[in-house]
Amino acid sequence: MLEKSTKKRYNILAMVFFTVVINYLDRSNISVAAFALSDELELSTVQMGYIFSAFAWTYAILQIPGGIMADKIKTRFLYPILMAFWSIATLIQGVANSFLLLIGLRASIGIFEAPSYPINNLIVTRWFPDNERASAIAVYTSGQYLGLAFLTPVLTWIQSQMGWRGLFIVSGIIGLVWALVWYIFYRDPKEHKSISQNELKHIADGGGLIDLKSNVKGKPKEKFEMSDLIQVFKYRKLWGIYIGQFCLGATAIFFLTWFPTYLVKYRGLDFLQSGFLASIPFLAAFAGILLSGFSSDYLVKKGYSNEIARKGPIVIGMLLSTAIIGANYTEDNTLVILFLAIAFFGNGLASIAWVFVSLMAPKNLIGLTGGAFNFIGGLSAVVVPVVIGYLVKDGDFKPALFFIGGVAFLGFFCYTFVIGKVERIVPKS
């Protein structure tokens, strides 16, 4: 009798999805709190720009060490420890009373969230065959959009009832609970007690790296070598996806930091109303990422090349992201939201870019390549909030939107002309 094939990889994907929701909840709740927080603590737009970017200082710097950790430490243990610590830092923000303390807490969240996306990519590389991977990446990445689309109105309501301090405390408690859930239920494919051999074979035969283990028992640990770091920075095509990720992040970080302030302070919307209107671009981005992921895998299954199936949605998405500039040419708030929704829909389309790490990174350096990829991408979260803070200090937000649109166009150029053929890099010995 044939063994019935299981679908445990989808359970794992659901766990990664919810982890991403919490991850982005703790990154972006500062944007909801910003207007009230800056008023109470008397912080300027420049100071708020530094607070917004403080998370990214440590997050970007620690991407490469985070990628190394993802490769070397068992995911079941590493991830919940990180979740617990970034949730505690989130909770403590609820008692912060100074600019410097907020800077320190945001930077500490960046420290503990730094390995998260290299870990997510590693999990999907272990659990999914090649022709399902873009869809899997789209699903978990959509957590940052769908979660924020539905949570932004909830977060604005929580703040209206409990204040901005209560908002941080509630966010932190949610993350602590989820850290425990992760430790109890997550396993790598070959350690999962209820996975069928048929599912393991399906994953492995399709290119899923089920034997890609961190700290395999009974085998000596592979030591990190400086030559590994050189490998992930020596190829032009990898630089293409690194710079492209920076450009992708520029649009996303605007929505995760300055967007609510833009609606309330510069467009004159009511705070609670802004929470509901802010959800529209996030829903558009959610639709974009799912459309991108599933259509990309569909094209792969139909025999289209990676240049069409993988690059196509990203190139189109980066071009659509330049639509954010259109908000500068209207006073109609409905059109403003429309332009921003188109831009963030494009950002969603381009957000399967992690699939290039899975497809192009040297097999033994997937975590490290993911760390380098997210390091360069994370620099956008260092640069963009501060640049916007300076650009809008005189009360005009138009230069900031021109800046975001211009960076998106640079991303379009990188994915169109710099990456070249999409293929796995095999380092020469």
Side-chain angles (χ1 to χ4, degrees), residues 14 24 27 33-34 57 82 90 92 97 120 170 172 188 259 285 290 342 393 411 418-420 424 429:
Y24 271 79
R27 295 188 197 193
W57 302 345
L82 295 170
T90 297
I92 295 174
N97 58 7
N120 294 341
V170 170
D188 287 336
F259 180 41
L290 289 185
I342 292 171
K393 67 179 181 179
V418 178
I419 291 173
R424 188 170 303 282
S429 57

Side-chain angles (χ1 to χ4, degrees), residues 154-350:
V154 174
L155 294 177
T156 56
W157 180 83
I158 290 173
Q159 180 169 315
S160 70
Q161 301 300 309
M162 303 176 62
W164 63 268
R165 297 183 184 277
L167 174 62
F168 288 125
I169 292 170
V170 170
S171 300
I173 291 172
I174 291 171
L176 288 171
V177 172
W178 184 246
L180 179 62
V181 172
W182 182 275
Y183 176 76
I184 293 170
F185 290 104
Y186 180 79
R187 298 292 187 280
D188 287 336
K190 283 196 168 181
E191 296 172 354
H192 202 291
K193 293 181 180 179
S194 57
I195 191 173
S196 69
Q197 289 302 310
N198 284 341
E199 184 174 9
L200 278 175
K201 185 175 185 302
H202 171 75
I203 296 169
D205 289 351
L209 304 182
I210 62 172
D211 291 315
L212 187 64
K213 292 186 179 181
S214 29
N215 191 16
V216 180
K217 188 175 181 181
K219 293 186 180 181
K221 296 180 183 178
E222 293 183 14
K223 293 182 179 179
F224 168 73
E225 303 286 348
M226 187 55 65
S227 60
D228 295 340
L229 189 60
I230 294 172
Q231 288 292 332
V232 301
F233 282 110
K234 70 183 290 187
Y235 299 97
R236 186 193 72 174
K237 59 176 70 242
L238 290 182
W239 272 105
I241 66 171
Y242 297 160
I243 297 172
Q245 186 68 359
F246 177 95
C247 299
L248 182 73
T251 302
I253 202 65
F254 161 72
F255 283 95
L256 294 174
T257 56
W258 282 103
F259 180 41
T261 299
Y262 170 66
L263 294 181
V264 174
K265 188 172 181 180
Y266 296 90
R267 287 291 177 175
L269 296 178
D270 172 78
F271 179 70
L272 285 175
Q273 181 190 17
S274 73
F276 287 98
L277 290 177
S279 69
I280 294 173
F282 287 110
L283 286 172
F286 170 71
I289 182 62
L290 289 185
L291 175 63
S292 179
F294 287 102
S295 64
S296 178
D297 277 349
Y298 174 80
L299 292 172
V300 169
K301 291 173 184 177
K302 288 295 183 180
Y304 288 90
S305 69
N306 284 326
E307 283 68 38
I308 294 174
R310 302 311 195 191
K311 269 191 188 181
I314 296 176
V315 169
I316 294 169
M318 296 303 297
L319 197 57
L320 285 175
S321 291
T322 63
I324 197 169
I325 295 172
N328 284 339
Y329 295 97
T330 180
E331 297 301 319
D332 186 330
N333 286 330
T334 301
L335 289 177
V336 168
I337 295 298
L338 176 62
F339 282 120
L340 295 176
I342 292 171
F344 216 18
F345 173 79
N347 191 261
L349 277 179

Side-chain angles (χ1 to χ4, degrees), residues 105-117:
L105 289 169
R106 296 299 297 173
S108 67
I109 294 172
I111 290 172
F112 297 115
E113 287 199 8
S116 57
Y117 262 70

